[in-house]
Amino acid sequence: MMERAQTAEEIARWMLAELEASGRLEQDRAVAHIRSRYGDSYLYRHENGNVSIDKDVKKRFKKLHGGRAAWERNGFFWAWT
């Protein structure tokens, strides 16, 4: 289980680095990166059919950005607040 936690942290850190580099992170881009590098084990499908990122990864990402970024629901991206 430790490996899964380490990988979730690695993904969250990648997400933060991408956000820092461009000021925003599109969910589609993050999903594509996660899928190509880690497969589908850190993704899940919402009841509405959209693919989303594992809740543990998102929790770690939120802890890393410390509330300085916000999720834009209509645009499916994170950006600095």
Side-chain angles (χ1 to χ4, degrees), residues 21-76:
S22 66
R24 94 186 232 167
L25 173 62
E26 290 83 12
Q27 180 167 291
D28 286 349
R29 196 164 101 237
V31 165
H33 172 81
I34 294 166
R35 181 171 278 146
S36 71
R37 184 153 178 159
Y38 306 99
D40 286 341
S41 61
Y42 293 90
L43 304 171
Y44 69 97
R45 192 167 295 279
H46 271 284
E47 60 278 352
N48 63 12
N50 292 333
V51 176
S52 189
I53 299 166
D54 181 82
K55 288 177 170 53
D56 185 42
V57 172
K58 289 190 287 189
K59 181 179 83 175
R60 291 167 184 274
F61 175 58
K62 184 174 185 178
K63 187 174 180 181
L64 289 170
H65 70 63
R68 296 172 295 139
W71 171 247
E72 172 53 53
R73 287 167 50 162
N74 294 327
F76 294 97

